[in-house]
Amino acid sequence: MEDCFNANTKEHVDSNTRTETNSSPPSNSNSCLKFFQYHGVPEAQGFSTFGIARGALIMSNIVYSTALIVLASKDAGCSEDDDDACDLKVYGFKPSSLISNIAILSGLLSAFFMPVIGAVVDFTPHRRLTGLLASVLIIVIQTTQIFLFDSTWFIMAVLQAIAALVYQVFLLTIFAYIPEISRKVGNEKMTIYSSRFIIVQYTVQILFLVLVGAVQSVIGLDDVNTARASQGMNVVWIAIFFYWGWRLMPANPAMHKLPEGHSILTEGFRQNWRTAKNINTHFKGGVRWFLLGTVFSEASVAAITTLSVIYLSDSLELGGNKIIIFFVLTLICAPIGSKISVFATNRTNPNVSWQMSMLFIFTTLIIGVVTLESIMSDITNYIWGMFIGIGLGWYYSTETQFFGSCVPKGIEAELSGFFVYCSQILIWLPPLVFTLLMENDIAQRWGIAVSSSLFLVAIGLLRCAAPWETIMEESLCESQFSEE
């Protein structure tokens, strides 16, 4: 994942090495347990545990999105027997626009509120408490969404947008621990940890989708009842692992003192402006280009999950069961991408490897939208999903490592918040473009193509970064941003 070396880090790694040398070799019976021990680093254990919760949460929301489209189509008066996309409207939009509109709303809310939450993480000792409260609120919303009916679907759709915002708050708090993990263990171990984090989350996503699919098949549930069952299982699942994860995560002191006379509500926006200026002045070799690349690449990556449900349902005419199979296969292949990330990063560097992952995903998406609608074969659809999974596993593993590697010491929490904020700035743009194209009767494949083109912008920006040796030199220095 991440890393920046200094004298203290080397001492810590040397200490870990001595401990491992003196210990007896692990037995096969303990190998699985040791996978989750992360050399005794509680932050890494907690982050991995949250991956177990996140995996179920993300997949349950995908199943839920399918049900929302079904109920919105029913409310609009669309026929279930008509295979063509429904042109009737509900609340002024086509039913298929519902999911993309939720993404637009949640994206705009995130872009506005993230600086406030970032200020709480940076200027108060309440990082852990904020994440814990966000986790509780997520559980409450997920529990409420079990009650999905013809008369409640619109309210549940609004809650879906709110839940997406709260989830970003949760992510902001846990990603603030990532640079601290990197400082403790060093670059080589963080590369392994990065791969493990992704493997854990994607494995759980597979298991959860398989479980939901099995319940749907055995009991014979329709898409709406499947969504209710999925939410019920999800609530129990995330409650257990959120609790476990926060027990592992330590509380941290405030990284900075709030200036006298400043408000916590507005200081985040000021801080973001100061952070942007300081990065542009002092860390122009690596951090600047990483964050600019994040702005565009994260918008495209987020659109894959959001818009793929619509595209699979409408354009490729996959039912709820087949959509579950599609995502199961996607997730099964994600760990392959995580392994490719380790291979590519070790032979190049995180910057080059990250660009390669984006180009891989972009090429896969374009080939799919150009060919699949003319083939209309479930097998080719599933193969497409498998290649998307490889790309996503590669992308996320490398992104996490790049982030941890380029963050200078002393500003970890601040940059963690700014990183999450950058990932949200344009997250609303691809769904907006997609909705505009759909509402004007332009084929959905063009919306997917335009959304994925932001990867090319990110690649172009990352090509401007300094050589990796220079980026690492920037990260080795203890740094403090100017308060001007």
Side-chain angles (χ1 to χ4, degrees), residues 60-61 82 190 196 241 281 313 316 319 376 402 426 455 459:
S60 184
N61 285 337
D82 190 357
M190 280 307 293
R196 287 185 186 179
F241 291 103
T281 302
S313 177
L316 299 184
M376 294 303 287
F402 194 167
L426 290 182
F455 279 125
I459 292 172

Side-chain angles (χ1 to χ4, degrees), residues 88-105:
L88 299 176
K89 295 189 177 183
V90 58
Y91 294 106
F93 293 93
K94 295 179 181 179
S96 297
S97 298
L98 172 67
I99 303 304
S100 54
N101 285 341
I102 290 174
I104 295 169
L105 177 59

